[in-house]
């Protein structure tokens, strides 16, 4: 059998992690992207730089500092202790937090560009018709910016599926709990189980190719 039970468990966990992360990112990043697209605050540049940090930082650096923050002496660790909750490292919720941070720019930046491309005219027209700010955002901005939401969702999902350094630092290698596909491939290679590694790695290649084709297809057609 090409894939064993542990492989399928890793695939299910990866899909669950990617889906959860993508939904949360779209929910949390929409107001942030809207603010970045329209604010004139002096904080726009530093906030944008913080959002983009995961693009340039090694994943192990992100994972290390998140692990410290979630530990017993870190702010998140102290918060979970005060609330009587389980600490986040080596748990699925911990993987979600790490994935949110690591995939943040892949959600914020497409949404920000989509909101910036709208311009002010549609919102001004809606305002002259008596629409409240929230109504203008929900009925005008969001529908017009749908390509940005699709791009953000696809990129966030794909980036989360391909994570390795962050999830390994935060989650370790616990079967059925934190062992995602990228870690499972690493385990197969270490054990010299190249046939199993080929099936999982080949699936990742096909998945990545489909994502790139989908993104190209979603791009607006350029006029000659």
């Amino acid at each position: 059998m090409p894939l064993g039970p542990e492989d399928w468990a890793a695939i299910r966990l990866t899909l669950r992690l990617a889906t959860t992360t993508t939904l949360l990112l779209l929910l949390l990043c929409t107001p942030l992207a809207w603010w970045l697209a329209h604010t004139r605050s002096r904080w726009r540049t530093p906030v944008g730089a913080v959002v983009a940090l995961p693009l340039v930082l090694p994943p192990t650096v992100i994972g290390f500092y998140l692990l410290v923050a979630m530990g017993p002496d870190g702010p998140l660790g102290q918060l979970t202790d005060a609330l009587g909750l389980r600490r986040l490292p080596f748990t699925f919720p911990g993987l979600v937090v790490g994935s949110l941070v690591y995939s943040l720019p892949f959600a914020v930046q497409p949404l920000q560009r989509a909101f910036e491309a709208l311009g002010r005219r549609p919102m001004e027209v809606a305002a002259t018709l008596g629409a409240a700010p929230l109504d203008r955002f929900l009925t005008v901005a969001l529908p017009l910016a749908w390509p940005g939401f699709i791009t953000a969702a696809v990129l966030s999902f794909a980036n989360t599926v391909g994570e390795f350094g962050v999830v390994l630092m935060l989650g370790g290698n616990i079967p059925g709990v934190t062992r995602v596909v990228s870690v499972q491939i690493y385990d197969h290679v270490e054990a010299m189980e190249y046939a199993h590694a080929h099936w999982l790695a080949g699936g990742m290649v096909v998945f990545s190719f489909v994502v790139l084709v989908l993104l190209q297809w979603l791009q607006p057609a350029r006029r000659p």
Side-chain angles (χ1 to χ4, degrees):
M1 183 177 180
L3 298 178
E6 290 189 350
D7 297 319
W8 287 111
I11 291 172
R12 288 192 295 270
L13 182 64
T14 303
L15 294 177
R16 178 186 170 201
L17 176 63
T19 301
T20 303
T21 300
T22 300
L23 293 176
L24 288 175
L25 281 174
L26 291 178
L27 179 64
L28 297 173
C29 293
T30 298
L32 175 58
W34 180 260
W35 181 81
L36 287 171
H38 293 92
T39 186
R40 296 183 179 178
S41 170
R42 63 180 180 179
W43 291 102
R44 182 181 186 274
T45 297
V47 170
V50 170
V51 168
L53 268 180
L55 294 175
V56 296
L57 283 177
T60 49
V61 172
I62 300 173
F64 169 71
Y65 281 113
L66 286 175
L67 188 62
V68 171
M70 296 177 185
D73 297 324
L76 289 178
Q78 292 178 354
L79 177 62
T80 53
D81 286 344
L83 296 175
L85 302 174
R86 182 182 177 184
R87 288 180 186 150
L88 294 173
F90 310 109
T91 65
F92 181 78
L95 291 187
V96 172
V97 173
S99 299
L100 289 174
V101 173
Y102 184 59
S103 297
L104 182 67
F106 296 92
V108 173
Q109 292 184 354
L111 292 176
Q112 180 182 344
R113 288 194 294 268
F115 288 142
E116 289 172 345
L118 294 180
R120 298 184 178 276
R121 181 63 177 169
M123 304 298 288
E124 291 172 352
V125 171
T128 60
L129 296 176
L134 182 59
D135 291 333
R136 298 198 297 269
F137 178 75
L138 294 176
T139 62
V140 178
L142 292 187
L144 291 176
W146 72 266
F149 281 89
I150 298 298
T151 301
V154 172
L155 287 177
S156 300
F157 190 93
N159 191 62
T160 304
V161 168
E163 285 181 47
F164 178 72
V166 173
V167 295
L168 188 61
M169 291 286 287
L170 287 177
N173 191 1
I174 306 174
V177 179
T178 62
R179 183 186 291 173
V180 294
V181 168
S182 57
V183 177
Q184 183 73 359
I185 294 173
Y186 179 79
D187 285 348
H188 283 316
V189 173
E190 275 203 321
M192 300 185 70
E193 298 170 347
Y194 294 130
H196 288 77
H198 272 306
W199 277 95
L200 285 176
M204 293 290 288
V205 171
V206 173
F207 172 77
S208 300
F209 176 78
V210 171
V211 167
L212 292 174
V213 170
L214 181 60
L215 287 176
Q216 291 290 329
W217 179 71
L218 290 172
Q219 294 300 317
R222 295 183 179 179
R223 295 181 180 179

